[in-house]
Amino acid sequence: MRPVRVVGGLCATALVLQTWGCGVPEMSQPIDRGTAPAVDVPERLIPAQPKGPDDGGLASAQDLIQRYFQAAAWGNSEGGNRPDAVDEAERRVRAFLTEESATTWSAGNRELNLVRATLGDPRTGPDGTVSIEATIEPVGVLDSVGSVRAPATATVTRYTFSVVPTEGGRHKRLVGAPTGLFLDVNYLTDWYDVRTIYFWAAGSTAVLVPDRRYMPKVVNLDKQPNEVWRWLTKGPSDLIAPAVATL
């Protein structure tokens, strides 16, 4: 019977403490104890924004076009608390255009089109305009959950870029650009980290199917788990969807 009496004693003590409140008032104001200790997570600096037309290191008209094909990076991302990602991408692209061209250029459906751009040799006109023909090969569409969808068309197009000097030759701008947002796949991993998420194979709880995604490097480390969770809840990419189960 001794264990029973001990337990009973403890219960009685607990009831007394509960009745007296253990010295804790029923209600009080929060007390600021200062900043909590930092979590042991490696610090990661946010990479610089894609370079604009007036940033240093611009040596030629070809360099300007190569920067143009990176300006829309991160424009696909809706996660990581970046609700204005597409608007920011549009502003960066417009910065490459002359004032007149910027007012008429359109981002189309505002999707981020992955392409493989090959630039030809520059031709300089008597007025200083440099013309460069680009071959633009569609690769896919980088969607809002970091997966790559098949492009709407596989047709390879050619576009002639015209680069003109502005402000007395101090800067360079493009006279027009193709409709839409483009990112050259040669620079994809400069602005995105490759991630792999997994879904169960259809009808199985023993086989996991990998699904490659691309995480914008602008998303902070502490927000990346939520971004991955958003990918998972949105479901698998088109490539593996027929073979897997949803979350």
Side-chain angles (χ1 to χ4, degrees), residues 1 4 23 25 28 36 38 42 50 72 77-79 85 103 108 113 125 127 129 179 201 204 239-240:
M1 295 299 294
V4 174
S28 66
S77 174
E78 296 178 356
T103 59
N113 300 284
D127 60 349
T129 299
T179 298
S204 171
L239 182 64
I240 68 167

Side-chain angles (χ1 to χ4, degrees), residues 24-213:
V24 179
E26 292 183 1
M27 181 179 297
S28 66
Q29 295 299 316
I31 300 173
D32 186 354
R33 297 297 187 186
T35 304
V39 179
D40 188 16
V41 175
E43 184 178 355
R44 170 178 173 176
L45 298 177
I46 298 300
Q49 295 283 323
K51 286 187 176 182
D54 300 330
D55 293 331
L58 188 64
S60 66
Q62 287 177 312
D63 290 343
L64 181 75
I65 298 172
Q66 288 171 348
R67 288 187 184 183
Y68 156 78
F69 275 112
Q70 301 176 65
W74 307 335
N76 66 302
S77 174
E78 296 178 356
N81 295 339
R82 303 185 64 248
D84 301 324
V86 180
D87 294 335
E88 292 173 7
E90 285 190 38
R91 285 194 292 269
R92 288 197 298 267
V93 173
R94 280 197 171 91
F96 283 81
L97 306 175
T98 62
E99 290 185 9
E100 182 178 357
S101 298
T103 59
T104 59
W105 174 80
S106 171
N109 60 11
R110 307 184 87 200
E111 290 186 327
L112 185 55
N113 300 284
L114 298 179
V115 298
R116 186 172 287 105
T118 305
L119 304 182
D121 295 328
R123 301 188 306 273
T124 305
D127 60 349
T129 299
V130 179
S131 299
I132 298 177
E133 186 175 274
T135 301
I136 304 174
E137 177 188 355
V139 174
V141 176
L142 188 58
D143 64 20
S144 63
V145 289
S147 66
V148 178
R149 301 199 317 264
T153 176
T155 303
V156 176
T157 61
R158 287 177 172 80
Y159 187 90
T160 300
F161 287 94
S162 296
V163 181
V164 297
T166 61
E167 299 183 22
R170 291 192 301 272
H171 302 293
K172 297 181 176 68
R173 291 292 187 272
L174 298 174
V175 182
T179 298
L181 298 173
F182 300 92
L183 175 62
D184 192 330
V185 292
N186 290 316
Y187 307 107
L188 180 59
T189 54
D190 289 349
W191 306 110
Y192 294 81
D193 289 326
V194 178
R195 293 283 186 269
T196 304
I197 59 176
Y198 297 86
F199 293 90
W200 290 117
S204 171
T205 56
V207 178
L208 287 169
V209 180
D211 196 0
R212 173 173 287 194
R213 302 296 175 97

Side-chain angles (χ1 to χ4, degrees), residues 74 77-86 88 144 215-216 218-228 230:
W74 307 335
S77 174
E78 296 178 356
N81 295 339
R82 303 185 64 248
D84 301 324
V86 180
E88 292 173 7
S144 63
M215 176 76 72
V218 72
V219 178
N220 287 332
L221 282 175
D222 59 342
K223 292 182 174 61
Q224 289 188 13
N226 283 341
E227 182 70 344
V228 172
R230 190 173 69 87

